[in-house]
């Protein structure tokens, strides 16, 4: 359970008459007055921190507040570091693409998919080429077969305005 620093009350900020106190090692000391608990915390050179204000009576813990904040920041930083941000890369082609250009786009797509990114593959139609959407479908079918080793189609080809769009996601690592 993560509690933001704004919600935590420490030491003199705790004004409740009776609180349930937990010692630094995790043992329950029972229901005490805030002044008694504060005195116990001072004797141990620690802080009294309200960790569950909604409970009846509120729960407070005797702990080193500075160390607690440092550990929270460390955990948040570690969690952020372990996150993998999946970007959506886009590959744009025209319905009249040449073979070498097509191979270059496929190689780029394979590199993106191996890097763990998702792909948005779009085939644009210029001028009167829009009258032949089957060319775009055939091109996307060729593209799908070319990247089938490293990616799977997440959303099939769909016409959107003057282009056909298909989404490809990387295959799960085994």
């Amino acid at each position: 359970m993560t509690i933001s620093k704004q919600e935590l009350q420490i030491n003199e900020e705790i004004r409740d008459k009776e609180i349930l106190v937990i010692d630094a090692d995790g043992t329950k000391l029972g229901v005490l007055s805030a002044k008694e608990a504060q005195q116990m915390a001072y004797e141990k050179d620690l802080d009294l921190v309200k960790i569950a204000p909604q409970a009846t009576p509120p729960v407070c813990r005797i702990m080193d507040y500075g160390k607690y904040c440092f550990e929270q920041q460390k955990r948040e930083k570690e969690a952020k570091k372990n996150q993998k941000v999946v970007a959506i890369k886009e590959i744009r082609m025209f319905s009249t693409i040449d073979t070498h250009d097509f191979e270059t786009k496929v190689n780029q797509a394979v590199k993106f998919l191996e890097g763990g990114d998702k792909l948005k593959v779009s085939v644009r139609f210029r001028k009167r080429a829009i009258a032949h959407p089957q060319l775009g479908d055939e091109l996307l079918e060729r593209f799908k077969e070319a990247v089938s080793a490293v990616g799977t189609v997440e959303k099939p080809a769909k016409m959107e305005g003057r282009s056909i769009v298909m989404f490809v996601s990387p295959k799960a690592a085994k």
Side-chain angles (χ1 to χ4, degrees), residues 8-36:
L8 292 178
Q9 292 179 342
I10 60 169
N11 298 332
E12 288 83 22
E13 296 171 5
I14 301 169
R15 302 210 183 275
D16 300 296
K17 289 183 180 175
E18 290 187 334
I19 53 176
L20 177 64
V21 182
I22 300 173
D23 201 6
D25 58 4
T27 57
K28 285 186 183 179
L29 299 176
V31 179
L32 303 170
S33 71
K35 288 195 186 264
E36 287 178 69

Side-chain angles (χ1 to χ4, degrees), residues 11-153:
N11 298 332
E12 288 83 22
E13 296 171 5
I14 301 169
R15 302 210 183 275
D16 300 296
K17 289 183 180 175
E18 290 187 334
I19 53 176
L20 177 64
V21 182
I22 300 173
D23 201 6
D25 58 4
T27 57
K28 285 186 183 179
L29 299 176
V31 179
L32 303 170
S33 71
K35 288 195 186 264
E36 287 178 69
Q38 186 70 46
Q39 191 61 39
M40 290 174 71
Y42 278 138
E43 286 171 5
K44 295 180 180 181
D45 200 26
L46 296 171
D47 300 305
L48 184 66
V49 182
K50 188 189 282 188
I51 56 172
Q54 70 281 358
T56 312
V59 180
C60 295
R61 185 176 189 134
I62 297 174
M63 66 168 85
D64 186 349
Y65 185 67
K67 184 177 178 183
Y68 171 77
C69 289
F70 173 74
E71 287 171 353
Q72 281 290 107
Q73 286 176 341
K74 204 166 144 182
R75 274 193 291 269
E76 288 170 10
K77 188 176 179 184
E78 193 67 30
K80 198 173 188 180
K81 189 168 71 172
N82 291 337
Q83 278 182 337
K84 171 71 173 111
V85 178
V86 177
I88 296 179
K89 304 283 189 171
E90 185 172 8
I91 302 281
R92 293 186 195 154
M93 299 181 282
F94 290 99
S95 59
T96 56
I97 193 168
D98 197 28
T99 31
H100 183 266
D101 295 336
F102 177 77
E103 290 167 6
T104 304
K105 297 285 186 183
V106 166
N107 290 338
Q108 194 65 41
V110 167
K111 193 189 314 180
F112 289 149
L113 289 169
E114 286 173 344
D117 296 320
K118 291 185 179 183
L119 279 182
K120 176 182 178 183
V121 185
S122 59
V123 176
R124 302 245 327 142
F125 295 100
R126 292 187 195 142
K127 302 179 183 174
R128 288 187 286 176
I130 194 79
H132 304 286
Q134 70 276 9
L135 293 175
D137 288 332
E138 291 169 9
L139 185 63
L140 284 177
E141 193 60 37
R142 270 183 34 217
F143 190 86
K144 181 168 57 171
E145 289 171 13
V147 298
S148 63
V150 290
T152 55
V153 175

